[in-house]
Amino acid sequence: MDQLTAEDPPRIGPYRLIARLGAGGMGRVYLARSEGGRTVAVKVVQAEFAQHAEFRARFAREVTAAKRVGGSWTAAVLDTDTDAETPWVATQYIPGPDLHAVVAEQHGPLPEQSVRVMANRLALALQAIHDAGLVHRDLKPSNVLVTVDGPRVIDFGIARALDSISGDSLQTRTGMVIGSPGFMSPEQVRGLHVTPASDVFSLGSVLAYAATGRQPFGATGHGLHAQLFRVAEEEPDLDGLPEALLGLVRACLQKDPTQRPTPEQVAARTATEGADE
């Protein structure tokens, strides 16, 4: 969390800004407070994206659908203004570090039972997202918040809106890739039709990272194209993954989307009594 700067507006819609929570390829995220005193996270879309009418229309549809997901294992969408000069969306603020920070900066790989519980909760989150007619498209460690009540998924449905402006006009200018290379599915890499099964592949990569501290298809240190090739064509590196999780993660990381388990099946395979911690 960082202090506001002179370039930050004092308010976005009805929300008074308090601090910066982060920034990414799509825009900037602020900690804000409503007039009634509720603390929320407000994501503001980059002006570059806001100039595209097709993006605005898709973004509005995605946010409307995201409101139906609710707050079970996700950060619920509370408010939005897709007609503003710079569109924004406000979600439930959930305190807690993201999974990347927990693994890479704080504690290292998680214990087997913790990864199993995380698999169950993330599968339930994906089930709710898919039931609302959405595909996350960018499930990655930094989009998983680790809280005292369990993991929460954020930014669901937003990456799909970016697809509407990922043609030559924007692709040539920025080299933008929809999704995060180390956690994309093979069909995303190949530019094919993306279904809910794509999120299951990303889930497998996230679980492998949580359990081993490594991306299963390597980092981008040797080049983005090499990493994308590994995702599309090569087998994942699952060395160090606990034996009890190996079958599940391998199933999620099948290249053929039709061979992957559904979120419901992942949830069933990882359900354990007394696993609330």
Side-chain angles (χ1 to χ4, degrees):
M1 190 178 301
D2 298 314
Q3 291 185 341
L4 299 175
T5 68
E7 66 181 78
D8 296 315
R11 301 181 70 87
I12 294 175
Y15 301 99
R16 178 175 60 85
L17 302 191
I18 300 171
R20 287 187 179 191
L21 289 176
M26 180 188 168
R28 186 168 290 155
V29 186
Y30 295 100
L31 181 67
R33 188 160 290 140
S34 70
E35 294 177 357
R38 183 171 190 174
T39 304
V40 300
V42 179
K43 171 163 280 193
V44 183
V45 173
Q46 282 188 14
E48 180 178 28
F49 300 149
Q51 296 171 4
H52 294 260
E54 189 175 353
F55 168 80
R56 282 180 173 270
R58 176 70 73 88
F59 183 61
R61 291 196 297 271
E62 296 303 311
V63 170
T64 298
K67 288 181 178 179
R68 300 197 298 266
V69 175
S72 297
W73 313 115
T74 65
V77 174
L78 305 174
D79 196 5
T80 184
D81 188 350
T82 55
D83 295 322
E85 182 177 354
T86 52
W88 56 267
V89 57
T91 66
Q92 175 186 11
Y93 172 64
I94 303 174
D98 63 58
L99 181 60
H100 177 268
V102 170
V103 173
E105 302 169 10
Q106 298 176 3
H107 301 293
L110 303 183
E112 176 186 322
Q113 178 63 12
S114 297
V115 178
R116 179 176 293 276
V117 173
M118 177 167 289
N120 181 266
R121 304 304 189 259
L122 295 184
L124 293 174
L126 289 180
Q127 184 177 344
I129 291 168
H130 297 163
D131 286 348
L134 294 168
V135 179
H136 192 296
R137 297 178 182 236
D138 197 21
L139 185 66
K140 58 185 177 181
S142 60
N143 277 340
V144 175
L145 300 181
V146 180
T147 80
V148 294
D149 296 321
R152 294 290 190 277
V153 175
I154 61 174
D155 276 1
F156 45 90
I158 291 176
R160 182 176 172 184
L162 292 175
D163 279 352
S164 64
I165 54 171
S166 63
D168 291 340
S169 61
L170 190 63
Q171 187 73 36
T172 302
R173 277 205 322 273
T174 68
M176 183 181 71
V177 176
I178 305 301
S180 301
F183 298 92
M184 293 171 70
S185 67
E187 51 268 35
Q188 283 179 292
V189 171
R190 298 186 179 112
L192 302 177
H193 178 62
V194 172
T195 68
S198 177
D199 286 342
V200 175
F201 189 94
S202 299
L203 172 61
S205 294
V206 167
L207 296 178
Y209 175 80
T212 67
R214 304 187 319 276
Q215 297 183 35
F217 298 99
T220 56
H222 297 293
L224 172 62
H225 293 292
Q227 185 182 37
L228 293 178
F229 177 83
R230 290 193 294 270
V231 170
E233 302 293 342
E234 297 185 356
E235 292 302 308
D237 174 11
L238 300 180
D239 285 350
L241 194 71
E243 186 68 28
L245 298 172
L246 191 57
L248 173 66
V249 173
R250 282 197 184 281
C252 292
L253 293 177
Q254 289 291 320
K255 303 297 186 188
D256 182 352
T258 66
Q259 298 301 310
R260 299 170 200 153
T262 64
E264 292 87 343
Q265 291 170 332
V266 174
R269 289 177 64 170
T270 54
T272 56
E273 294 183 6
D276 295 332
E277 63 274 15

